[in-house]
C-alpha cells in the first residue's frame, strides 16, 4: 500500500509517495505562496498531490499533511500557523473537494517528524521524544506508539517551557523559553557574541573570513582547537540538555531523538548530551535509562511521518 505525505513549510511544500515500509518512492517540491488566499494554497497542495499520484490514484490509500503551528487533527482544521495564510482553514474539508474518496489527516509538522523518526528511523520506538533544533525548538512526542498532540492539537510545544525565569525574550513573547537558548538561532547569536568579545580568537578569525555566522561556525572553530568555541558549545549543550532532562523527567521515553541541522554534528553533541541526561535526569541510579540519539531521516521525516498519519500501524 502507498500513501501521500505532505510537509508544508513557509518556503516550500514537499510531498512524496510513501510505502507502508516508510520508503519514499517519489518526491516533488513546489514553492509556497505563503500569503496567497488559502484557497490558492490549498489548490497548490492539491496540484502537488495530483502530480505525485499521476494515473495511480487507486493505489493511494490515504493523504497525510504536516503543517507548522497549532493543528486540530480531530477537526481537520489549522487553528493558527505563523508564516502561512492557513490560520482558521478547514484544510481536510477543502482537500476533500479534490479527493472526496481518500482518507485525509493533518497534524503539526514537528509531530509528523516525530512519528516518522519513531516508526521508520534507525530504531522503531513506541515511546520517544523528538527535539528539532532549528530556527526554533520543535518537539514531538510518541507515547505507547501513539502521537500525543494535546487538547485541540495545541500541546507538545516543548520549546516554550521556561528554563530561565526572566531570561532572554522568546519570539512567543515570554522570557527564558528553552527555544531562546537552545535553537540554532540562539547558537548563532551566542557564537556571534563570543566572537565579538574575543576578537583575537580562532572563532573571530573564522567569522571574519567567512563573512557570516551560521550553525556550523562554532563547530568549525572547535575543530581548529579554539577554546572560546569550546566554551560556547559546552554552555549551549547545557541549555539543550536542561530542556531534554525536563522532557525526560515528565515522559521518561525510551529515547530522545535530536534533529535539525545541528544534529549532523553527530557524536560531538550526542555524546555530551547523553552524559548530561545520565547525570541530571531524576533518580538516575534507579530509573530506566533514556537513549539520546541523532535523527536519521532528516528532511524526509516530515513527509514520511505525515504519510504515517493515515497508515494502519
Amino acid at each position: 500500500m502507498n500513501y501521500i505525505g505532505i510537509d508544508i513549510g513557509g518556503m516550500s511544500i514537499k510531498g512524496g509517495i510513501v510505502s507502508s515500509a516508510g520508503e519514499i518512492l517519489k518526491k516533488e517540491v513546489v514553492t509556497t505562496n505563503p500569503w496567497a488566499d488559502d484557497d490558492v494554497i490549498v489548490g497548490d497542495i492539491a496540484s502537488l498531490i495530483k502530480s505525485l499520484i499521476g494515473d495511480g490514484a487507486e493505489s493511494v490509500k490515504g493523504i497525510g499533511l504536516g503543517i507548522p503551528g497549532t493543528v486540530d487533527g480531530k477537526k481537520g482544521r489549522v487553528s493558527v500557523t505563523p508564516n502561512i495564510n492557513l490560520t482558521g482553514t478547514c484544510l481536510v474539508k477543502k482537500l476533500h473537494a479534490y479527493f472526496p474518496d481518500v482518507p485525509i489527516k493533518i497534524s503539526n509538522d514537528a509531530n509528523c517528524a516525530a512519528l516518522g523518526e519513531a516508526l521508520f528511523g534507525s530504531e522503531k520506538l513506541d515511546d520517544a521524544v523528538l527535539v528539532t533544533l532549528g530556527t526554533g525548538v520543535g518537539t514531538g512526542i510518541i507515547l505507547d506508539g501513539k502521537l500525543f498532540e494535546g487538547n485541540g492539537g495545541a500541546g507538545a510545544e516543548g520549546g516554550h517551557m521556561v528554563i530561565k525565569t526572566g531570561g532572554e525574550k522568546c519570539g512567543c513573547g515570554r522570557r527564558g523559553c528553552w527555544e531562546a537558548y537552545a535553537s540554532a538561532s540562539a547558537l548563532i547569536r551566542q557564537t556571534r557574541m563570543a566572537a565579538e568579545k574575543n576578537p583575537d580568537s580562532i572563532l573571530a578569525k573564522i567569522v571574519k573570513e567567512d563573512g557570516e555566522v551560521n550553525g556550523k561556525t562554532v563547530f568549525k572553530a572547535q575543530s581548529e582547537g579554539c577554546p572560546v568555541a569550546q566554551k560556547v558549545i559546552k554552555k549551549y549543550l547545557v541549555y539543550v540538555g536542561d530542556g531534554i532532562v525536563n522532557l525526560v523527567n515528565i515522559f521518561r521515553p525510551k529515547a530522545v531523538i535530536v534533529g535539525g541541522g545541528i544534529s549532523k554534528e553527530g557524536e560531538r553533541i550526542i555524546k555530551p548530551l547523553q552524559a548530561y541526561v545520565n547525570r541530571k535526569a531524576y533518580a538516575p541510579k534507579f530509573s530506566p535509562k533514556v537513549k539520546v540519539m541523532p535523527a536519521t531521516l532528516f528532511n524526509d521525516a516530515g513527509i514520511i511521518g505525515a504519510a504515517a498519519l493515515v497508515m494502519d500501524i
Side-chain angles (χ1 to χ4, degrees), residues 225-289:
C226 178
V228 173
Q230 178 60 34
K231 186 176 180 180
V232 171
I233 292 170
K234 184 176 180 180
K235 189 173 183 179
Y236 171 73
L237 291 179
V238 168
Y239 293 141
V240 176
D242 280 340
I244 289 176
V245 167
N246 289 345
L247 293 170
V248 166
N249 288 345
I250 296 168
F251 297 107
R252 190 58 62 165
K254 292 179 180 175
V256 174
I257 306 165
V258 182
I262 290 170
S263 70
K264 294 180 181 179
E265 297 298 329
E267 286 301 302
R268 283 210 279 184
I269 69 162
I270 298 299
K271 190 173 179 179
L273 285 175
Q274 181 71 75
Y276 196 81
V277 170
N278 290 349
R279 293 196 317 271
K280 299 290 186 178
Y282 179 73
K285 293 183 179 179
F286 306 100
S287 301
K289 291 289 185 282

Side-chain angles (χ1 to χ4, degrees), residues 17-173:
I17 297 179
V18 182
S19 73
S20 56
E23 179 185 2
I24 296 180
L25 306 175
K26 180 182 179 181
K27 184 163 65 172
E28 293 186 15
V29 180
V30 297
T31 300
T32 307
N33 294 308
W35 301 118
D37 185 84
D38 65 344
D39 285 332
V40 173
I41 299 172
V42 173
D44 290 343
I45 296 168
S47 295
L48 173 60
I49 294 170
K50 288 177 180 179
S51 178
L52 286 165
I53 293 173
D55 296 327
E58 69 284 348
S59 68
V60 173
K61 303 304 179 184
I63 299 168
L65 302 96
I67 305 104
T70 300
V71 181
D72 191 333
K74 291 182 179 179
K75 293 183 178 179
R77 179 178 181 271
V78 181
S79 301
V80 61
T81 187
N83 300 309
I84 308 168
N85 188 30
L86 288 174
T87 294
T89 299
C90 295
L91 187 56
V92 170
K93 181 179 179 180
K94 284 179 178 287
L95 282 173
H96 266 144
Y98 294 91
F99 310 100
D101 301 319
V102 183
I104 301 174
K105 291 185 179 180
I106 63 175
S107 188
N108 168 270
D109 57 347
N111 290 345
C112 290
L115 194 60
E117 289 285 354
L119 293 176
F120 300 109
S122 60
E123 296 181 27
K124 186 166 184 176
L125 298 160
D126 55 6
D127 285 282
V129 173
L130 173 72
V131 174
T132 303
L133 307 174
T135 304
V137 174
T139 55
I141 300 161
I142 309 296
L143 301 176
D144 294 328
K146 296 180 181 180
L147 191 59
F148 172 80
E149 297 177 281
N151 185 19
E157 291 289 351
H160 298 289
M161 59 182 167
V162 170
I163 64 167
K164 189 172 183 179
T165 301
E168 297 278 352
K169 189 167 184 180
C170 179
C172 75

